[in-house]
Structure formats: structure tokens, C-alpha cells
Amino acid sequence: MKFLTTNFVKCAIKSCDSSADSFPLQYADCQLAQEEQDYNPEFISHILERLDWDAIIKVAADLGNTSLPPTKPEDLDPIMEDNQVILKDLHNLLVETHILEGKMTCRNCGHIYYIKNSIPNFLLPPHLC
């Protein structure tokens, strides 16, 4: 599961739908890997505007990365040379960082979702559907 995916998943339990604590999930006991991908600065600059930056910071901290700036970088023109370092760092985190194993926990209800072989399991037992 790519790090980028963490910004688009939340607790699947219906009672958590209205809770702000259901997103982002809390990540623990995670095994990470880096997998080189083609660098596309245009993709990173465009996806950045769709990301919940506070959630990115929380998940990155859960995974041991506390180097992100507290505010979202704005207007990163991929052509500008000055932006290349930031865009490459974000590419490395968002696209090349994979969570191979671990668990995601809802901060609202405490339900645990496991990640195995890079695949998050969002299937719920019948009593939670």
C-alpha cells in the first residue's frame, strides 16, 4: 500500500462516518519499503492540492517521519528548479514509500485493520457492518 493511499482511507464502520476521529487512521507496527517509481513532478504538484496535509503529517509521524513542514507547500510549479527538491522528497514519501505489513486503527472506535503483503483488509465482521 503506497503512503499516498493513507490520505484516502478511513474507518469503514458506519457509526464512524460522522466522526472526525475516523480519519486518518493510526498506523502502528508497520514495515516499510522503498520502491523506485518514475518521477513525475506534475503529478506531485497536482495531487498536493487534494491532500489533507494534517493527515499526511499525522500518518508520517506514526511511521517515524517527522521531517515534513507544518504547513502544506503551495504553488509548486514543477518547472521551477527551486521546487525540485521539495517535489522529489514528496514523491519519495507519497509514491515510493510502501507499507508492507502493519495495522491501521480507527481513532474513534478502535477497530484494527491489518495490512498484509501491502494489501489493507477493510472487510468487516458481520456485527460491525
Side-chain angles (χ1 to χ4, degrees), residues 91-109:
H91 168 80
N92 181 272
L93 174 67
L94 299 172
V95 179
E96 294 185 338
T97 302
H98 290 262
I99 303 171
L100 301 176
E101 307 285 331
K103 61 183 179 178
M104 306 172 289
T105 306
C106 177
R107 298 172 200 263
N108 183 57
C109 70

Side-chain angles (χ1 to χ4, degrees), residues 2 11 22-23 31 41 45 56-57 67 77-78 81 83 108:
K2 291 184 183 192
C11 186
S22 67
F23 175 82
Q31 178 186 354
S45 65
I56 291 285
I57 290 174
S67 66
D77 185 347
E81 188 67 32
N83 294 333
N108 183 57

Side-chain angles (χ1 to χ4, degrees), residues 19-65:
S19 172
D21 289 333
S22 67
F23 175 82
L25 298 173
Q26 183 173 11
Y27 292 76
D29 303 326
C30 292
Q31 178 186 354
L32 303 178
Q34 293 297 119
E35 183 179 310
E36 192 171 328
Q37 302 285 318
D38 290 337
Y39 175 57
N40 184 340
E42 291 82 17
F43 171 76
I44 298 299
S45 65
H46 292 329
I47 196 71
L48 192 58
E49 61 195 46
R50 292 182 175 93
L51 298 178
D52 182 321
W53 191 253
D54 291 333
I56 291 285
I57 290 174
K58 276 184 184 177
V59 173
D62 287 348
L63 299 175
N65 181 338

Side-chain angles (χ1 to χ4, degrees), residues 105-122:
T105 306
C106 177
R107 298 172 200 263
N108 183 57
C109 70
H111 185 74
I112 298 173
Y113 301 93
Y114 291 95
I115 304 167
K116 288 196 175 255
N117 299 320
S118 258
I119 301 170
N121 182 353
F122 285 101

